Amino acid sequence: MADEGHGSDGGAGGVRAGIVATGSELLTGRITDRNGPWVAERLGELGVEVSHLVLVGDRGEDMAAALRFLAGDGIDLVVTTGGLGPTADDLTAEVVADETDRPLELHEHMEKVVGDIISRFADRLRWDADALAAANRKQAMVPRGATPIRPAGTAPGLAVPPHPWRGGPTVLVLPGPPREVRAMWDEALASGPVQEVLARTAPWTETHLRLFGVPESEIAATLRDVGAGTDLTPLEITTCLRDFTLEVDLRHAPASADAAIARDAVVAEIDRRHGKTIFSRTGQTIDELLFELLDGQVVATAESCTGGLLAGRLTAPAGASAHVAGGVVSYSNDAKADLLGVPRELIETHGAVSPQVAEAMADGALARFGATIAVAITGVAGPGGGTEAKPVGYVCFCVRTADGRTLARDPVLPGERGDVRERSVVLAMHLMRRALTGEGEPAPA
């Protein structure tokens, strides 16, 4: 992520937050933290400035040090994730209780709630009764004065008020599994201690632009030029290249006339220079946008070098069965011929990686699945197999609709094998978007 150096005072006088993601597995690289970025985004929507995101292992002294660091930096709200399970290394509740000087006490209602949840699995899994009782009791221990949050798994969350005489941050303690964090989030925000903090803030005004086919360097130049004639300090501007999409996010405090003027100047200049590459003005991803555009359509895929990755993306959202008919991974020449009806002489004449074969693959997918739109991908993903005429990264695309519209491309995509395959999927999705919206030529990948 790149921040172009423009930004407001960070909401001075507003609410500042820090996030502590716990788990030794996060530090080894075996697991990527999915909670911290998600929590940061949700807090940002509420007008809370997230100043720190800290990863710590399952060591009490490290967790305590992180909490003391955030308290010393004047943080108003700390959100922790992880370390709420029944095992000995699940120490978050104990550490937070110590740091806020709020002794742990058994919460009888939460003990019953957790017990009922665990008992559903106990008989079937033949869990040890004594171990079950100890785990149940451990997870029902709540710092004095804290508000427990109903669990989505077996671990309750905690909304812990500041230290009773020293003050400091309110601490919101959530479990580690991302599914549970998301399920408990609304109830956590509604808890008394968190509401007291959020009462001091207001949602920021946000603008989210998504562009495809523009490098960060060009947006950086655009922002510098706008900044030469307009004061951008009331704005927080963030640019991020993610999933081969350039995300430009503008945030500012509500009811700020200067910020609104700066925001409008930035958006107008991006529109003037890069308007044809903007595919979303709401922050929608290409996946979300394409899901909407496919409503009422029947889509089929024919993939070679991407090995089904496109079909995987299209079928990831719930409800995709309403428009995805199916796909063929025709990796071999025989599969292209036998499953998609690609003429063998076409492959012999032009090669398996060619615009002609991509077009025939799309025709085959349309016919085999009775689709209204089909997309075909065939290419040289590497690291070997490239030639002077068809180097590694050379990929042929064809999007064809039942009413005869066609979009075809054969760029040379940069990167290693994984990059080429992933870029191919994203480019194919944008070609589908343009075919469905009737837009002009797609930007280069």
Side-chain angles (χ1 to χ4, degrees), residues 76-435:
D76 303 286
L77 175 67
V78 174
V79 181
T80 72
T81 63
L84 286 182
T87 60
D89 62 347
D90 291 313
L91 301 170
T92 303
E94 179 182 337
V95 171
V96 171
D98 288 343
E99 291 301 311
T100 58
D101 198 20
R102 294 178 176 276
L104 286 171
E105 299 175 337
L106 181 66
H107 193 285
E108 293 183 357
H109 173 68
M110 196 53 62
E111 183 181 29
K112 183 178 185 306
V113 169
V114 175
D116 289 344
I117 293 172
I118 295 178
S119 66
R120 297 172 194 168
F121 309 99
D123 292 339
R124 177 164 54 89
L125 299 177
R126 297 181 180 180
W127 286 347
D128 178 80
D130 292 337
L132 185 64
N136 186 8
R137 185 178 182 85
K138 180 179 186 297
Q139 293 184 116
M141 300 298 289
V142 173
R144 181 178 297 165
T147 301
I149 300 163
R150 184 174 47 195
T154 62
L158 302 167
V160 185
H163 192 283
W165 57 266
R166 192 171 61 226
T170 294
V171 184
L172 176 59
V173 181
L174 296 173
R179 179 191 64 82
E180 296 181 25
V181 171
R182 289 154 175 70
M184 296 166 65
W185 183 249
D186 288 342
E187 185 173 334
L189 293 184
S191 63
V194 176
Q195 279 293 301
E196 289 184 17
V197 178
L198 297 181
R200 307 199 305 270
T201 190
W204 288 50
T205 299
E206 300 185 339
T207 300
H208 305 285
L209 303 178
R210 299 295 179 259
L211 302 86
F212 180 71
V214 179
E216 280 188 284
S217 57
E218 289 193 22
I219 289 295
T222 299
L223 294 175
R224 285 194 298 270
D225 291 346
V226 176
T230 303
D231 181 14
L232 299 183
T233 55
L235 282 181
E236 180 181 292
I237 306 175
T238 303
T239 63
C240 175
L241 186 63
R242 178 164 46 188
D243 195 26
F244 311 110
T245 295
L246 185 58
E247 302 179 355
V248 181
D249 296 314
L250 314 175
R251 300 174 66 235
H252 62 82
S256 171
D258 290 342
I261 292 171
R263 177 202 63 214
D264 291 346
V266 170
V267 173
E269 189 62 12
I270 291 177
D271 264 329
R272 189 182 73 82
R273 298 190 185 191
H274 315 290
K276 291 183 178 180
T277 69
I278 299 173
F279 68 88
S280 172
R281 298 174 184 272
T282 62
Q284 272 189 313
T285 65
I286 182 60
D287 304 72
E288 294 166 339
L289 190 58
L290 198 54
F291 186 91
E292 293 180 359
L293 291 172
L294 286 169
D295 184 32
Q297 301 284 338
V298 177
V299 62
T301 61
E303 301 179 65
S304 184
C305 64
T306 49
L309 292 176
L310 175 61
R313 285 281 286 266
L314 294 177
T315 56
S321 59
H323 53 250
V324 179
V328 173
V329 177
S330 52
Y331 212 70
S332 70
N333 291 346
D334 286 342
K336 291 178 177 67
D338 296 339
L339 300 178
L340 293 170
V342 178
R344 293 182 185 274
E345 58 270 22
L346 196 68
I347 299 174
E348 293 172 1
T349 301
H350 299 284
V353 178
S354 62
Q356 294 84 354
V357 168
E359 184 176 324
M361 290 169 63
D363 285 337
L366 273 177
R368 294 295 188 273
F369 291 97
T372 60
I373 182 170
V375 56
I377 309 171
T378 179
V380 185
T387 65
E388 184 175 350
K390 298 177 181 180
V392 170
Y394 178 66
V395 184
C396 300
F397 301 84
C398 183
V399 175
R400 179 157 285 181
T401 63
D403 60 6
R405 286 173 293 155
T406 301
L407 275 176
R409 297 290 179 273
D410 63 337
V412 177
L413 302 177
E416 299 179 350
R417 180 179 177 84
D419 299 318
V420 171
R421 281 157 52 91
E422 291 172 8
R423 286 180 189 272
S424 295
V425 169
V426 175
L427 178 54
M429 295 175 78
H430 280 281
L431 288 171
M432 293 175 66
R433 170 182 62 83
R434 289 181 176 263

Side-chain angles (χ1 to χ4, degrees), residues 18-45:
I19 301 168
V20 180
T22 67
S24 296
E25 67 278 5
L26 300 176
L27 298 179
T28 64
R30 293 197 304 272
I31 295 178
T32 299
D33 174 37
R34 293 166 52 199
N35 290 324
W38 187 87
V39 170
E41 190 171 4
R42 301 289 80 75
L43 291 176
E45 293 168 351

